[in-house]
């Protein structure tokens, strides 16, 4: 990146932006009661050991008692360090569809458009640039949107926070600054925050990034955080990795197995994948079944991938492997690595698969919260 471009980005970051009016529906990617990115059909085909199943459509829940407040990850290619408030079809809208729209089958989804840090901001930070100001701009929008949601839409309902990567970072800060120790904490039934390091003291569930909210440790537990960063089984987070290694003494990166919180062994996962993705994948494009191209844009693979949490000193991550038996028509490959200039970055692990690899498990977990007998039955302490 040239010195001139770096200077331009820094100048843009220094400008104090005006507050976003989240009372306007236009500043939400997803709002209940309308046709939008979270309620459009998602034709999906199961990929089984016997081949492709029959295509289906992801359902939308008619009257769920639980809300989901969603913050999407870094995806904007806008100029500058912060995105604008116009979501792109191949950027914010595409990420919402592939990672979060299925939650509409379990909860009312609220997804604000926010001035997220851009892909350019990542490059700027990698060259030593200070992204404190653009990070504050992004967080300010998320905080503003959450407060608007609580005042205008929540009406005392239980809610779940869901994010990924930058979105998880924003929600970590929201919990720490706006929720912990306040009335809003009683309504927060779950936080699903993969793709960004959440630190805890080694051997503990709470006390690092978050002071009062523990990491989930059992199925059905509420009032806790599910968090993980994904790495392929034979790719341990290397020294200097951006994810998977705690940068503070005595800490580790927390890990919850999304297939079964608290599990220590391998757990099969219920995964959803974008079969039309053009992102680079180790080994080349994936053909999901030996029967050929998927008939739909999305596929579901139940049990193709398994995961287990690993915590070894400062290292903490979700180890991912695939399972294919002889004669299985499914692929033995899944993607997730971050490609740059023809290479894959080891320190990012399978960052792009953090949500997809367990999306079915996560949607079911949120759906369980609609049962009053389950909600709060195993409150975290």
């Amino acid at each position: 990146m040239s010195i001139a471009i770096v200077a331009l980005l820094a100048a843009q970051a220094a400008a104090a932006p005006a507050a976003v009016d989240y009372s306007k529906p236009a500043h939400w990617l997803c709002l209940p009661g309308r046709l939008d990115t979270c309620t459009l059909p998602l034709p999906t085909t199961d990929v089984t050991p016997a081949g492709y199943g029959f295509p289906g459509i992801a359902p939308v829940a008619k009257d769920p008692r639980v809300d989901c407040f969603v913050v999407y990850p870094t995806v904007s290619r806008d100029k500058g360090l912060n995105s604008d408030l116009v979501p792109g079809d191949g950027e914010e809208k595409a990420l919402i569809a592939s990672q979060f729209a299925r939650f509409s089958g379990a909860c009312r989804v609220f997804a604000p458009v926010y001035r997220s840090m851009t892909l350019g901001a990542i490059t700027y930070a990698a060259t030593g640039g200070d992204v404190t100001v653009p990070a504050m701009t992004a967080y300010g929008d998320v905080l503003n949107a959450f407060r608007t949601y609580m005042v205008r839409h929540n009406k005392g309902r239980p809610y779940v926070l869901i994010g990924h990567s930058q979105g998880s970072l924003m929600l970590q800060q929201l919990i720490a600054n706006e929720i912990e120790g306040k009335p809003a904490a009683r309504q927060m039934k779950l936080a699903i925050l993969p793709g960004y390091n959440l630190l805890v003291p080694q051997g503990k569930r709470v006390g690092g990034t978050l002071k009062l909210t523990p990491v989930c440790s059992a199925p059905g537990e509420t009032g806790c955080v599910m968090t993980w960063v994904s790495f392929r089984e034979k790719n341990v987070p290397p020294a200097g990795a951006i994810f998977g290694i705690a940068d503070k003494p005595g800490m580790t990166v927390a890990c919850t197995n999304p297939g079964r919180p608290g599990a220590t062994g391998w757990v099969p996962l219920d995964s959803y994948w974008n079969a039309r993705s053009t992102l680079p994948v180790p080994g080349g494009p994936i053909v999901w079944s030996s029967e050929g191209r998927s008939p739909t844009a999305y596929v579901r693979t139940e049990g193709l991938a398994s995961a287990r949490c690993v915590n070894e000193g400062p290292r903490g991550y979700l180890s991912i492997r695939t399972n294919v038996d002889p004669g299985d028509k499914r692929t033995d490959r899944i993607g997730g690595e971050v490609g740059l200039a023809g290479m894959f970055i080891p320190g990012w692990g399978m960052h792009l698969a953090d949500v997809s690899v367990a999306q079915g498990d996560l949607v079911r977990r949120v759906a369980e919260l609609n049962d009053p007998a389950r909600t709060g039955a195993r409150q975290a302490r």
Side-chain angles (χ1 to χ4, degrees), residues 288-326:
W288 290 96
S289 171
S290 60
E291 294 181 327
R293 178 182 170 90
S294 167
T296 54
Y298 293 93
V299 295
R300 176 191 181 204
T301 60
E302 190 170 12
L304 175 63
S306 293
R308 72 181 182 98
C309 281
V310 177
N311 281 102
E312 298 170 342
R315 279 189 175 85
Y317 60 98
L318 187 70
S319 185
I320 305 289
R321 71 182 183 190
T322 54
N323 314 292
V324 176
D325 296 323

Side-chain angles (χ1 to χ4, degrees), residues 129 147 164-165 282 374 377:
R147 287 176 173 173
H164 178 237
S165 192
R374 291 176 178 265

Side-chain angles (χ1 to χ4, degrees), residues 65-66 365-377:
R65 66 183 298 269
V66 176
R365 177 69 189 91
V366 174
E368 290 173 356
L369 297 173
N370 288 297
D371 182 351
R374 291 176 178 265
T375 303

Side-chain angles (χ1 to χ4, degrees), residues 5-163:
I5 293 176
V6 170
L8 174 62
L9 293 174
Q12 291 175 340
V20 179
D21 184 358
Y22 283 103
S23 68
K24 296 181 178 179
H27 290 148
W28 294 83
L29 270 167
C30 299
L31 274 178
R34 73 181 190 187
L35 184 64
D36 57 30
T37 306
C38 285
T39 55
L40 291 174
L42 291 176
T44 304
T45 303
D46 281 355
V47 187
T48 74
Y52 288 121
F54 291 104
I57 300 293
V60 175
K62 292 184 178 180
D63 189 24
R65 66 183 298 269
V66 176
D67 291 346
C68 290
F69 184 85
V70 170
V71 183
Y72 51 80
T74 309
V75 66
S76 175
R77 295 187 292 271
D78 290 345
K79 295 179 181 179
L81 298 181
N82 288 102
S83 67
D84 57 28
L85 292 169
V86 182
D89 289 338
E91 298 173 357
E92 292 90 347
K93 290 181 180 179
L95 255 294
I96 286 287
S98 64
Q99 290 192 337
F100 306 116
R102 292 183 194 279
F103 286 96
S104 291
C107 57
R108 299 195 310 170
V109 178
F110 296 81
V113 181
Y114 73 110
R115 288 169 291 195
S116 62
M117 290 183 285
T118 61
L119 294 170
I122 295 178
T123 304
Y124 180 54
T127 62
D130 184 355
V131 294
T132 301
V133 172
M136 291 175 62
T137 297
Y139 175 70
D141 284 355
V142 171
L143 175 61
N144 185 6
F146 180 74
R147 287 176 173 173
T148 302
Y149 156 72
M150 292 296 288
V151 170
R152 295 177 64 90
H153 303 288
N154 178 266
K155 303 184 187 304
R157 292 165 58 90
Y159 65 86
V160 177
L161 302 178
I162 307 175

Side-chain angles (χ1 to χ4, degrees), residues 280-286 333 344:
V281 175
I286 296 174
R333 296 191 302 116
F344 294 98

Side-chain angles (χ1 to χ4, degrees), residues 231 235 238 241-242 336-341 343-351:
F231 281 77
N235 177 29
I242 188 170
E337 281 80 2
V338 176
L340 180 66
M343 301 176 61
F344 294 98
I345 309 174
W348 285 68
M350 296 180 70
H351 187 65

